[in-house]
Amino acid sequence: MTSTIRKCLFPAAGYGTRFLPATKAMPKEMLTLVNKPLIQYGVEEAINAGLTNIAFVSGRGKRAIEDHFDISYELEHQILGTSKESLLYQIRDVISQCTFSYTRQVEMHGLGHAILTGETLVGQEPFAVVLADDFCSAEGDGVLKQMVALYNEHQCTIVAIEEIPADQTESYGIIAGEEISPGLYQVKEMVEKPKPEDAPSNLAIIGRYILTPDIFDILRHTDPGRGGEIQITDAIAERAKTGKVLAYKIKGQRFDCGQIEGFVAATNFVFENLYTNGS
Ligand code: G1P
């Protein structure tokens, strides 16, 4: 088994019902922060971490994602040599650096099930998972790059966390553990979306994970949990019983783009701080 991380898995089969009607005929991952789709920010974060083997668990109605990470000959032909061409430089760059593979989740049984569906693309090696609707921005190394560096040191499962207000625990997986160095916890307990009174802490998992391939066997035997779905949180909690699982407080900002408010905040942030018009 290689111990270097090369692959990044993007579960991208969800419906995005909170954004209807925008997501009626368009994947939620293609919603844009200003002029770039959420999924492209995620892929760029993976590239920044050195992960250029990109795997998507997609589903029905998601073909725009495949088309986005491919060449559009007609478009290239139309704008070749014009001032607009520079607008395509960044996505061309992404396409040329990565390989993209796809598998479809035929039925939706939760995030754990989506990740298990990706086994065929990941195989027997450690891998990263990015949930593209958690948009992360960091001033130095990207969040995934921070986590890959940590993996290289510890060679174990790692989840990204941040502190959240105590009344929001029902929206997240929540961890509890021992702080082994500032911002780094050895996980003892993980609960998916507990009520505030049942939450073991206010440390919430955000959509960045480094997983080892033994997670697939655990997922195969994980019963449906919260919401009747197979939860990755439950599988990682099981993993923590027998091996080291770390929770890492990210250095950077994270926006929940699965919610309208977070999406608007991220849009403003990108416009003010990151937006380039291709020039
Ligand atoms: C998923 C996970 C949850 C995690 C969250 C991060 O939930 O199940 O543990 O905290 O992503 O965004 P979802 O937001 O898909 O309901």
Side-chain angles (χ1 to χ4, degrees):
M1 182 183 95
T2 158
S3 61
T4 314
I5 303 186
R6 305 178 305 144
K7 296 184 178 173
C8 189
L9 186 71
F10 289 80
Y15 297 123
T17 45
R18 287 201 192 100
F19 283 85
L20 283 170
T23 48
K24 182 163 178 266
M26 182 182 79
K28 64 173 176 160
E29 294 78 10
M30 291 300 294
L31 289 169
T32 58
L33 297 180
V34 189
N35 63 340
K36 199 193 288 185
L38 278 171
I39 192 83
Q40 187 179 334
Y41 288 100
V43 171
E44 287 177 3
E45 192 183 322
I47 295 173
N48 170 264
L51 316 184
T52 53
N53 189 324
I54 307 294
F56 293 98
V57 177
S58 80
R60 287 180 291 282
K62 299 283 184 168
R63 279 179 49 188
I65 297 177
E66 292 186 42
D67 290 339
H68 187 71
F69 294 106
D70 197 354
I71 289 170
S72 165
Y73 282 105
E74 210 174 305
L75 180 65
E76 296 274 346
H77 179 75
Q78 284 292 329
I79 67 172
L80 190 70
T82 74
S83 58
K84 300 250 174 61
E85 200 181 350
S86 61
L87 296 170
L88 285 180
Y89 288 168
Q90 221 177 0
I91 181 66
R92 278 187 194 158
D93 209 34
V94 166
I95 293 167
S96 69
Q97 289 184 69
C98 299
T99 60
F100 300 94
S101 50
Y102 301 84
T103 190
R104 277 194 183 203
Q105 190 182 6
V106 176
E107 287 177 65
M108 309 296 170
H109 297 302
L111 180 57
H113 178 252
I115 291 173
L116 181 57
T117 305
E119 181 182 20
T120 184
L121 303 176
V122 169
Q124 284 301 303
E125 48 183 290
F127 62 105
V129 174
V130 168
L131 307 184
D133 51 15
D134 273 337
F135 168 70
C136 291
S137 175
E139 282 196 355
D141 289 345
V143 168
L144 214 50
K145 187 168 183 179
Q146 298 166 28
M147 293 174 74
V148 167
L150 207 56
Y151 176 82
N152 291 338
E153 200 181 319
H154 294 271
Q155 305 274 315
C156 69
T157 302
I158 305 168
V159 298
I161 52 167
E162 69 173 12
E163 278 181 43
I164 51 142
D167 62 355
Q168 288 178 17
T169 57
E170 277 181 280
S171 301
Y172 299 94
I174 304 292
I175 71 115
E178 181 195 342
E179 192 167 15
I180 56 175
S181 61
L184 189 64
Y185 297 78
Q186 172 137 7
V187 173
K188 301 264 179 280
E189 204 185 332
M190 280 174 92
V191 195
E192 180 67 4
K193 304 191 173 122
K195 290 197 166 67
E197 58 270 30
D198 301 327
S201 77
N202 70 335
L203 298 173
I205 301 168
I206 62 166
R208 301 287 182 279
Y209 305 79
I210 304 266
L211 300 174
T212 51
D214 52 353
I215 200 71
F216 295 126
D217 271 338
I218 299 174
L219 279 168
R220 256 185 283 283
H221 299 109
T222 301
D223 290 329
R226 173 89 194 195
E229 298 188 326
I230 297 171
Q231 298 293 351
I232 190 65
T233 304
D234 295 343
I236 300 173
E238 189 60 32
R239 184 74 194 78
K241 284 184 191 162
T242 53
K244 185 157 89 170
V245 172
L246 295 177
Y248 167 68
K249 221 185 247 182
I250 65 159
K251 295 190 176 69
Q253 264 180 286
R254 168 253 174 197
F255 298 86
D256 178 4
C257 295
Q259 310 269 0
I260 301 284
E261 296 76 14
F263 183 82
V264 171
T267 301
N268 289 325
F269 175 86
V270 168
F271 185 63
E272 280 154 27
N273 299 283
L274 304 176
Y275 170 65
T276 54
N277 63 4
S279 54

